[in-house]
Amino acid sequence: DAKTTQPPSMDCAEGRAANLPCNHSTISGNEYVYWYRQIHSQGPQYIIHGLKNNETNEMASLIITEDRKSSTLILPHATLRDTAVYYCIVRVTSNAGGTSYGKLTFGQGTILTVHP
Amino acid sequence: DAGITQSPRHKVTETGTPVTLRCHQTENHRYMYWYRQDPGHGLRLIHYSYGVKDTDKGEVSDGYSVSRSKTEDFLLTLESATSSQTSVYFCAISYSENQPQHFGDGTRLSIL
């Protein structure tokens, strides 16, 4: 799976949009971009994923650049409960051939702190 | 969350004792995974299952075994626990290998 690079920490004011960047310059054409977050002492929580089109769900939006070398997770109106570690993960699909069992490789992520 | 229950949630035991952690799901998902999380290492895959009685090793499988005798249960066993296996263990499930994984709340295991 392609390696990802994220800033170690970010701050955001409550009610403002949080924009979390991720670089994945070695991503392959069959690799999805996934975002998870982990709130202290809880299991990782799935947020969103995409291949090349922008995606939006009830939690967030995912913007993937045209060359797919980077992406941004957007939390449109951050709340204090969004304080967590956010992980950007690039994951190969089963169509790639070879061994593919859905492995997720978690890096160090970005610690997002939302303050009042 | 996502119908996953891990048990026990906390356990303290001694070196050399056997330990079994249980992951129970009510989603009828085919895939189940065991990860461990340690400071400085993130989450690392221990074992996974792609169906009843179908399991395979992950990247840190030494010292661990798993069993899946029915769809809803995936057991992780430490045959002879060591202090290096002190960690937080997370179970995850997914409908297929291409679908998002959903995680349980974890088991905090301390080996003294």
Coordinates of all heavy atoms in Angstrom, one line a residue, chain A residues 9-81:
Chain A
S9 N -0.1 17.4 13.8 CA -1.1 18.0 14.6 C -1.7 19.3 13.9 O -1.1 19.9 13.1 CB -0.6 18.4 16.0 OG 0.4 19.5 15.9
M10 N -3.0 19.5 14.3 CA -3.7 20.7 13.8 C -4.7 21.2 14.8 O -5.2 20.4 15.6 CB -4.4 20.4 12.5 CG -3.6 20.0 11.3 SD -4.6 19.7 9.8 CE -5.3 21.4 9.5
D11 N -5.0 22.5 14.7 CA -6.0 23.1 15.6 C -7.1 23.6 14.8 O -6.9 24.0 13.6 CB -5.4 24.2 16.5 CG -4.5 23.7 17.5 OD1 -4.7 22.6 18.0 OD2 -3.5 24.4 17.9
C12 N -8.3 23.7 15.4 CA -9.5 24.2 14.7 C -10.4 24.8 15.7 O -10.6 24.3 16.8 CB -10.2 23.1 13.9 SG -11.6 23.7 13.0
A13 N -11.0 26.0 15.4 CA -12.0 26.6 16.3 C -13.3 25.9 16.1 O -13.7 25.5 15.0 CB -12.1 28.1 16.0
E14 N -14.0 25.7 17.2 CA -15.4 25.1 17.1 C -16.3 25.9 16.2 O -16.3 27.1 16.2 CB -15.9 25.1 18.5 CG -17.2 24.3 18.7 CD -17.7 24.2 20.1 OE1 -17.3 25.1 20.9 OE2 -18.5 23.3 20.4
G15 N -17.0 25.1 15.3 CA -17.9 25.8 14.4 C -17.3 26.1 13.1 O -18.0 26.3 12.1
R16 N -16.0 26.1 13.0 CA -15.3 26.3 11.7 C -15.0 25.0 11.0 O -15.1 23.9 11.6 CB -14.0 27.0 12.0 CG -14.1 28.4 12.8 CD -14.9 29.4 12.0 NE -14.2 29.8 10.8 CZ -13.4 30.8 10.7 NH1 -13.1 31.6 11.8 NH2 -12.9 31.2 9.5
A17 N -14.7 25.1 9.7 CA -14.3 23.9 9.0 C -12.9 23.5 9.3 O -12.0 24.3 9.4 CB -14.4 24.2 7.5
A18 N -12.8 22.2 9.5 CA -11.4 21.6 9.7 C -11.0 20.9 8.4 O -11.8 20.1 7.8 CB -11.5 20.6 10.8
N19 N -9.9 21.3 7.9 CA -9.4 20.8 6.6 C -8.1 20.0 6.9 O -7.0 20.6 7.2 CB -9.1 21.9 5.6 CG -10.3 22.6 5.2 OD1 -11.1 22.2 4.4 ND2 -10.5 23.8 5.9
L20 N -8.1 18.7 6.8 CA -7.0 17.8 7.1 C -6.4 17.3 5.8 O -7.0 16.6 5.1 CB -7.4 16.7 8.0 CG -7.8 17.0 9.4 CD1 -9.3 17.4 9.5 CD2 -7.5 15.9 10.4
P21 N -5.1 17.7 5.6 CA -4.4 17.3 4.3 C -3.8 15.9 4.5 O -3.4 15.5 5.6 CB -3.4 18.4 4.1 CG -3.0 18.8 5.5 CD -4.3 18.6 6.4
C22 N -3.6 15.3 3.3 CA -2.8 14.0 3.3 C -2.1 13.9 1.9 O -2.8 14.2 0.9 CB -3.8 12.9 3.4 SG -3.0 11.2 3.4
N23 N -0.9 13.6 1.9 CA -0.1 13.4 0.7 C 0.1 11.9 0.5 O 0.4 11.2 1.4 CB 1.3 14.1 0.8 CG 1.1 15.6 0.6 OD1 0.4 16.0 -0.2 ND2 1.9 16.3 1.4
H24 N -0.2 11.5 -0.7 CA 0.0 10.0 -1.1 C 0.5 10.0 -2.5 O -0.2 9.5 -3.4 CB -1.3 9.2 -0.9 CG -2.5 10.0 -1.1 ND1 -3.1 10.3 -2.4 CD2 -3.4 10.5 -0.2 CE1 -4.2 11.0 -2.2 NE2 -4.4 11.1 -0.9
S25 N 1.7 10.5 -2.7 CA 2.3 10.8 -4.0 C 2.6 9.5 -4.8 O 2.7 9.5 -6.0 CB 3.5 11.6 -3.9 OG 4.5 11.0 -3.1
T26 N 2.7 8.4 -4.1 CA 3.0 7.1 -4.8 C 1.8 6.2 -5.0 O 1.9 5.0 -5.3 CB 4.1 6.3 -4.0 OG1 3.6 6.0 -2.7 CG2 5.3 7.1 -3.9
I27 N 0.6 6.8 -4.9 CA -0.7 6.0 -5.0 C -0.8 5.4 -6.4 O -0.4 6.0 -7.4 CB -1.9 6.9 -4.6 CG1 -3.1 6.1 -4.4 CG2 -2.1 8.0 -5.7 CD1 -4.3 6.9 -3.8
S28 N -1.3 4.2 -6.4 CA -1.6 3.5 -7.7 C -3.0 3.7 -8.1 O -3.9 4.0 -7.3 CB -1.2 2.0 -7.5 OG 0.1 1.8 -7.2
G29 N -3.3 3.4 -9.4 CA -4.6 3.6 -9.9 C -5.7 2.7 -9.2 O -6.9 3.1 -9.3
N30 N -5.3 1.6 -8.6 CA -6.3 0.8 -8.0 C -6.4 0.9 -6.5 O -6.9 0.0 -5.8 CB -6.0 -0.7 -8.4 CG -4.6 -1.1 -7.9 OD1 -3.9 -0.3 -7.3 ND2 -4.3 -2.4 -8.0
E31 N -5.8 2.0 -6.0 CA -5.8 2.2 -4.5 C -6.8 3.3 -4.1 O -6.8 4.4 -4.7 CB -4.4 2.6 -4.1 CG -3.5 1.4 -4.1 CD -2.1 1.8 -3.7 OE1 -1.6 2.8 -4.1 OE2 -1.5 1.0 -2.9
Y32 N -7.6 3.0 -3.1 CA -8.5 3.9 -2.6 C -7.9 4.7 -1.4 O -7.0 4.3 -0.8 CB -9.7 3.2 -2.0 CG -10.8 2.7 -3.0 CD1 -10.5 1.6 -3.7 CD2 -12.0 3.4 -3.1 CE1 -11.5 1.1 -4.6 CE2 -12.9 3.0 -4.0 CZ -12.7 1.8 -4.8 OH -13.6 1.4 -5.7
V33 N -8.4 5.9 -1.2 CA -8.1 6.7 0.0 C -9.1 6.6 1.0 O -10.3 6.8 0.8 CB -7.9 8.2 -0.4 CG1 -7.5 9.0 0.9 CG2 -6.8 8.4 -1.5
Y34 N -8.8 6.1 2.2 CA -9.7 6.0 3.3 C -9.3 6.9 4.4 O -8.1 7.2 4.6 CB -9.6 4.5 3.9 CG -10.4 3.5 3.2 CD1 -10.0 3.0 2.0 CD2 -11.6 3.0 3.8 CE1 -10.8 2.0 1.3 CE2 -12.3 2.0 3.1 CZ -11.9 1.6 1.9 OH -12.7 0.6 1.2
W35 N -10.3 7.4 5.2 CA -10.1 8.2 6.3 C -10.8 7.5 7.5 O -12.0 7.2 7.4 CB -10.6 9.6 6.2 CG -9.7 10.5 5.3 CD1 -9.6 10.5 4.0 CD2 -8.7 11.4 5.8 NE1 -8.7 11.4 3.6 CE2 -8.1 12.0 4.7 CE3 -8.2 11.7 7.1 CZ2 -7.0 12.9 4.8 CZ3 -7.2 12.7 7.2 CH2 -6.6 13.2 6.1
Y36 N -10.0 7.4 8.6 CA -10.6 6.9 9.9 C -10.2 8.0 10.9 O -9.3 8.8 10.8 CB -10.0 5.6 10.3 CG -10.5 4.4 9.6 CD1 -10.2 4.1 8.3 CD2 -11.5 3.6 10.3 CE1 -10.7 3.0 7.7 CE2 -12.0 2.5 9.6 CZ -11.6 2.2 8.3 OH -12.2 1.1 7.7
R37 N -10.9 7.9 12.1 CA -10.4 8.7 13.2 C -10.5 7.8 14.5 O -11.3 6.9 14.5 CB -11.3 10.0 13.4 CG -12.7 9.8 13.9 CD -13.4 11.1 14.0 NE -14.8 11.0 14.5 CZ -15.6 12.0 14.6 NH1 -15.2 13.2 14.2 NH2 -16.8 11.8 15.1
Q38 N -9.8 8.2 15.5 CA -9.8 7.5 16.7 C -9.8 8.5 17.9 O -8.9 9.3 18.1 CB -8.5 6.6 16.8 CG -8.6 5.7 18.1 CD -7.5 4.7 18.0 OE1 -6.4 4.9 17.4 NE2 -7.7 3.6 18.7
I39 N -10.9 8.5 18.5 CA -11.1 9.3 19.7 C -10.5 8.5 20.9 O -10.6 7.3 20.9 CB -12.6 9.6 20.0 CG1 -13.1 10.4 18.8 CG2 -12.8 10.3 21.3 CD1 -14.6 10.5 18.7
H40 N -9.9 9.2 21.8 CA -9.2 8.6 22.9 C -9.9 7.4 23.5 O -11.1 7.5 23.9 CB -8.9 9.7 24.0 CG -8.1 9.1 25.1 ND1 -6.8 8.7 24.9 CD2 -8.3 9.0 26.4 CE1 -6.3 8.3 26.1 NE2 -7.2 8.4 27.0
S41 N -9.1 6.3 23.6 CA -9.6 5.1 24.3 C -10.7 4.3 23.5 O -11.3 3.4 24.1 CB -10.1 5.4 25.7 OG -9.0 5.8 26.5
Q42 N -11.0 4.8 22.3 CA -12.0 4.1 21.5 C -11.4 3.4 20.3 O -10.3 3.7 19.9 CB -13.1 5.1 21.1 CG -13.9 5.7 22.2 CD -15.0 6.6 21.7 OE1 -15.4 6.6 20.5 NE2 -15.5 7.5 22.6
G43 N -12.2 2.6 19.6 CA -11.7 2.0 18.4 C -11.7 2.9 17.3 O -12.5 3.9 17.3
P44 N -10.9 2.7 16.2 CA -11.0 3.6 15.1 C -12.4 3.6 14.4 O -13.1 2.6 14.4 CB -10.0 3.0 14.1 CG -9.0 2.2 15.0 CD -9.9 1.7 16.1
Q45 N -12.8 4.8 14.0 CA -14.1 5.0 13.4 C -13.9 5.3 11.9 O -13.2 6.3 11.6 CB -14.9 6.1 14.1 CG -16.2 6.4 13.5 CD -16.9 7.6 14.2 OE1 -16.2 8.5 14.7 NE2 -18.2 7.7 14.1
Y46 N -14.6 4.6 11.0 CA -14.6 4.9 9.6 C -15.3 6.2 9.3 O -16.4 6.5 9.9 CB -15.3 3.7 8.8 CG -15.6 4.1 7.4 CD1 -14.7 4.1 6.4 CD2 -16.9 4.4 7.1 CE1 -15.0 4.5 5.1 CE2 -17.3 4.7 5.8 CZ -16.3 4.8 4.8 OH -16.6 5.1 3.5
I47 N -14.7 7.0 8.5 CA -15.3 8.3 8.1 C -15.8 8.3 6.7 O -16.9 8.5 6.4 CB -14.3 9.5 8.3 CG1 -13.8 9.5 9.8 CG2 -15.0 10.8 7.9 CD1 -12.7 10.6 10.0
I48 N -14.9 8.1 5.7 CA -15.2 8.2 4.3 C -14.1 7.6 3.5 O -13.0 7.4 4.0 CB -15.4 9.7 4.0 CG1 -16.1 9.9 2.7 CG2 -14.0 10.4 4.0 CD1 -16.6 11.4 2.5
H49 N -14.4 7.2 2.3 CA -13.3 6.8 1.3 C -13.7 7.2 -0.1 O -14.9 7.4 -0.4 CB -13.1 5.3 1.5 CG -14.1 4.4 0.9 ND1 -15.3 4.2 1.5 CD2 -14.1 3.7 -0.3 CE1 -16.0 3.4 0.8 NE2 -15.3 3.0 -0.3
G50 N -12.7 7.2 -0.9 CA -12.9 7.5 -2.3 C -11.8 7.0 -3.2 O -10.7 6.7 -2.7
L51 N -12.0 7.0 -4.5 CA -11.0 6.5 -5.5 C -10.5 7.7 -6.3 O -9.3 8.0 -6.2 CB -11.6 5.5 -6.5 CG -10.7 4.9 -7.5 CD1 -9.6 4.1 -6.7 CD2 -11.4 4.0 -8.4
K52 N -11.3 8.5 -7.0 CA -10.8 9.6 -7.7 C -11.8 10.8 -7.7 O -11.4 11.9 -7.9 CB -10.4 9.3 -9.1 CG -11.4 8.5 -9.9 CD -10.7 8.1 -11.2 CE -11.6 7.1 -12.0 NZ -11.0 6.7 -13.3
N53 N -13.1 10.5 -7.4 CA -14.1 11.5 -7.3 C -14.2 12.0 -5.9 O -13.9 11.3 -5.0 CB -15.4 11.0 -7.8 CG -15.4 10.6 -9.3 OD1 -14.8 11.3 -10.1 ND2 -16.1 9.5 -9.6
N54 N -14.6 13.3 -5.8 CA -14.9 13.8 -4.5 C -16.1 13.1 -3.9 O -17.0 12.7 -4.6 CB -15.1 15.3 -4.5 CG -13.9 16.1 -5.0 OD1 -12.8 15.6 -5.0 ND2 -14.1 17.2 -5.6
E55 N -16.1 12.9 -2.6 CA -17.1 12.2 -1.9 C -17.6 13.0 -0.7 O -16.8 13.7 -0.1 CB -16.6 10.8 -1.4 CG -16.1 9.9 -2.5 CD -17.2 9.3 -3.4 OE1 -18.4 9.4 -3.0 OE2 -16.8 8.8 -4.4
T56 N -18.9 12.8 -0.4 CA -19.5 13.5 0.8 C -20.4 12.5 1.5 O -21.2 11.8 0.8 CB -20.2 14.8 0.4 OG1 -19.3 15.7 -0.2 CG2 -20.9 15.4 1.6
N57 N -20.4 12.5 2.8 CA -21.4 11.8 3.5 C -21.8 12.7 4.7 O -21.5 13.8 4.8 CB -20.9 10.4 3.9 CG -19.7 10.4 4.9 OD1 -19.4 11.5 5.5 ND2 -19.0 9.3 4.9
E58 N -22.5 12.1 5.6 CA -23.1 12.9 6.8 C -22.0 13.3 7.7 O -22.2 14.2 8.5 CB -24.1 12.0 7.5 CG -23.6 10.8 8.2 CD -23.4 9.6 7.3 OE1 -23.7 9.8 6.1 OE2 -23.1 8.5 7.8
M59 N -20.8 12.7 7.6 CA -19.7 13.1 8.6 C -18.8 14.1 8.0 O -18.3 15.0 8.7 CB -18.9 11.9 9.0 CG -19.6 10.9 9.9 SD -18.6 9.6 10.4 CE -17.4 10.4 11.4
A60 N -18.4 14.0 6.7 CA -17.3 14.7 6.1 C -17.4 14.7 4.6 O -18.2 14.1 4.0 CB -16.0 14.1 6.6
S61 N -16.5 15.5 4.0 CA -16.2 15.5 2.6 C -14.8 15.1 2.3 O -13.9 15.5 3.1 CB -16.5 16.9 2.0 OG -17.9 17.2 2.1
L62 N -14.6 14.5 1.2 CA -13.3 14.1 0.8 C -13.0 14.7 -0.6 O -13.7 14.4 -1.5 CB -13.1 12.5 0.8 CG -11.8 12.0 0.2 CD1 -10.6 12.4 1.1 CD2 -11.9 10.4 0.2
I63 N -11.9 15.5 -0.6 CA -11.5 16.1 -1.9 C -10.2 15.4 -2.3 O -9.2 15.5 -1.6 CB -11.3 17.6 -1.7 CG1 -12.5 18.2 -1.1 CG2 -11.0 18.2 -3.1 CD1 -13.8 18.1 -1.9
I64 N -10.2 14.8 -3.5 CA -9.0 14.2 -4.0 C -8.5 15.0 -5.2 O -9.3 15.3 -6.1 CB -9.3 12.7 -4.4 CG1 -9.8 11.9 -3.2 CG2 -8.0 12.0 -5.0 CD1 -10.3 10.5 -3.5
T65 N -7.3 15.3 -5.3 CA -6.8 16.1 -6.4 C -6.8 15.3 -7.7 O -6.9 14.0 -7.7 CB -5.3 16.5 -6.2 OG1 -4.5 15.4 -5.9 CG2 -5.2 17.5 -5.0
E66 N -6.8 16.0 -8.8 CA -7.0 15.3 -10.1 C -5.9 14.2 -10.3 O -6.1 13.2 -10.9 CB -7.0 16.3 -11.2 CG -7.4 15.7 -12.5 CD -7.7 16.8 -13.5 OE1 -7.9 18.0 -13.2 OE2 -7.8 16.5 -14.7
D67 N -4.6 14.5 -9.9 CA -3.5 13.6 -10.1 C -3.5 12.5 -9.0 O -2.7 11.6 -9.0 CB -2.2 14.3 -10.1 CG -1.9 15.0 -8.9 OD1 -2.6 14.9 -7.9 OD2 -0.8 15.7 -8.8
R68 N -4.4 12.6 -8.0 CA -4.6 11.7 -6.9 C -3.4 11.6 -6.0 O -3.3 10.7 -5.2 CB -4.9 10.3 -7.5 CG -6.2 10.2 -8.3 CD -6.5 8.8 -8.7 NE -7.0 8.1 -7.5 CZ -6.5 7.0 -7.1 NH1 -5.4 6.4 -7.6 NH2 -7.0 6.4 -6.0
K69 N -2.5 12.5 -6.0 CA -1.4 12.5 -5.2 C -1.6 13.1 -3.8 O -0.8 13.0 -2.9 CB -0.2 13.2 -5.9 CG 0.3 12.5 -7.1 CD 1.5 13.2 -7.7 CE 1.9 12.5 -9.0 NZ 2.3 11.1 -8.8
S70 N -2.7 13.7 -3.6 CA -3.1 14.2 -2.3 C -4.6 14.3 -2.1 O -5.3 14.3 -3.1 CB -2.4 15.6 -2.1 OG -3.0 16.6 -2.9
S71 N -5.0 14.5 -0.9 CA -6.4 14.6 -0.6 C -6.6 15.4 0.6 O -5.7 15.7 1.4 CB -7.1 13.2 -0.4 OG -6.5 12.5 0.7
T72 N -7.8 15.9 0.8 CA -8.2 16.7 2.0 C -9.5 16.2 2.6 O -10.5 16.0 1.8 CB -8.3 18.2 1.7 OG1 -7.1 18.7 1.1 CG2 -8.7 19.0 2.9
L73 N -9.5 15.9 3.9 CA -10.7 15.6 4.6 C -11.3 16.9 5.2 O -10.5 17.6 5.8 CB -10.4 14.6 5.7 CG -11.6 14.2 6.5 CD1 -12.6 13.3 5.8 CD2 -11.2 13.6 7.9
I74 N -12.5 17.1 4.9 CA -13.1 18.4 5.4 C -14.3 18.0 6.4 O -15.2 17.3 6.0 CB -13.7 19.2 4.3 CG1 -12.6 19.6 3.3 CG2 -14.4 20.5 4.8 CD1 -13.1 20.3 2.0
L75 N -14.1 18.5 7.6 CA -15.2 18.5 8.6 C -15.9 19.8 8.5 O -15.3 20.8 9.0 CB -14.7 18.1 10.0 CG -13.8 16.9 10.1 CD1 -13.3 16.8 11.6 CD2 -14.5 15.7 9.7
P76 N -17.1 20.0 8.0 CA -17.6 21.3 7.7 C -17.8 22.2 8.9 O -17.6 23.4 8.8 CB -18.9 21.0 6.9 CG -19.2 19.6 7.3 CD -18.0 18.9 7.6
H77 N -18.2 21.7 10.0 CA -18.5 22.5 11.2 C -18.0 21.7 12.4 O -18.7 20.9 13.0 CB -20.0 22.7 11.4 CG -20.6 23.4 10.2 ND1 -20.4 24.7 9.8 CD2 -21.5 22.9 9.2 CE1 -21.1 25.0 8.7 NE2 -21.7 23.9 8.3
A78 N -16.7 21.9 12.7 CA -16.1 21.1 13.7 C -16.7 21.3 15.1 O -17.0 22.5 15.5 CB -14.6 21.4 13.8
T79 N -16.8 20.3 15.9 CA -17.3 20.4 17.3 C -16.2 19.9 18.2 O -15.3 19.2 17.7 CB -18.6 19.6 17.5 OG1 -18.3 18.2 17.5 CG2 -19.7 20.0 16.5
L80 N -16.4 20.1 19.5 CA -15.4 19.6 20.4 C -15.3 18.1 20.4 O -14.2 17.5 20.6 CB -15.8 20.0 21.8 CG -15.8 21.5 22.1 CD1 -16.3 21.8 23.5 CD2 -14.5 22.2 21.8
R81 N -16.4 17.4 20.0 CA -16.3 15.9 19.9 C -15.6 15.4 18.7 O -15.3 14.2 18.6 CB -17.8 15.4 19.9 CG -18.5 15.5 21.2 CD -20.0 15.1 21.0 NE -20.7 15.9 20.1 CZ -22.0 15.6 19.7 NH1 -22.6 14.6 20.2 NH2 -22.6 16.4 18.9

